[in-house]
Amino acid sequence: MPVEDPLLLVCTNSKRDVCCALYGRPIATALNLWECTHTGGHRFAPTGVLLPTGHLYGRLDHQLAQRVVTEGIMADRCRGRSCFTPRGQVAEVAVRAQIGETRDVLTVVGETEDSATVRHTDGREWRVALTEQPVPPRPASCGKSPDIAIALVATAVDQLVEVCR
């Protein structure tokens, strides 16, 4: 039977990272969400994936999970859409955060070494400048020692194409 509403799957797999089970299971249970196995990014436990869009979330809590299900694609703690490259993921989330978009209307249409271009279905476009930056050491998974980390971050979001309404 096809599902009409958004579906949030929450990782509760303790074999890959015990934090997914410790923190993900109570969220899935409380909100009557689907449990799933490893979704990637266990260092961000608990994690989840929003279907049908494939947007990945990290450090889920009850409030964010509920908002994602009821309000749409939230930029808050979104790790990007699974079908985009890491550069595209960061760029799409940066545009989504800047314009407050919660619908499935953004796509990555181009990438360079230091930027990505995101297009809205209404024709607007943005170039997002990207760079790698060191971030505070963080554990690779629950109970592990913190390691040095480098993150890809958006440093500027410039609108290229505007749409007259």
Side-chain angles (χ1 to χ4, degrees):
M1 176 171 78
V3 176
E4 299 293 324
D5 296 322
L7 181 62
L8 182 62
L9 306 177
V10 179
C11 181
T12 59
N13 182 355
S14 65
K15 288 184 182 177
R16 183 65 172 110
D17 194 317
V18 71
C19 283
C20 286
L22 289 174
Y23 304 122
R25 194 151 215 293
I27 294 169
T29 300
L31 299 176
N32 198 28
L33 300 175
W34 286 52
E35 295 181 33
C36 68
T37 189
H38 185 60
T39 62
H42 51 276
R43 67 188 172 278
F44 301 110
T47 62
V49 60
L50 180 64
L51 298 178
T53 67
H55 283 85
L56 303 166
Y57 287 87
R59 298 192 176 92
L60 279 173
D61 58 29
H62 291 81
Q63 293 79 19
L64 179 61
Q66 184 65 48
R67 287 184 66 209
V68 167
V69 171
T70 59
E71 298 176 33
I73 306 161
M74 311 302 297
D76 183 24
R77 289 171 266 166
C78 185
R79 297 178 37 238
R81 190 173 191 162
S82 58
C83 64
F84 297 146
T85 67
R87 290 186 179 331
Q89 290 174 340
V90 171
E92 189 251 357
V93 172
V95 170
R96 186 172 295 287
Q98 180 166 309
I99 67 172
E101 184 60 72
T102 59
R103 300 169 296 156
D104 183 18
V105 293
L106 298 175
T107 191
V108 177
V109 296
E111 294 184 30
T112 67
E113 185 177 318
D114 61 357
S115 71
T117 303
V118 177
R119 181 179 297 146
H120 194 288
T121 55
D122 68 9
R124 290 180 288 167
E125 283 188 11
W126 298 264
R127 180 177 300 118
V128 181
L130 304 164
T131 190
E132 289 184 343
Q133 294 180 353
V135 294
R138 60 183 178 207
S141 62
C142 196
K144 300 283 184 180
S145 298
D147 289 331
I148 295 171
I150 302 293
L152 186 61
V153 297
T155 57
V157 178
D158 299 310
Q159 190 163 0
L160 303 174
V161 177
E162 293 185 38
V163 175
C164 297
R165 297 179 193 239

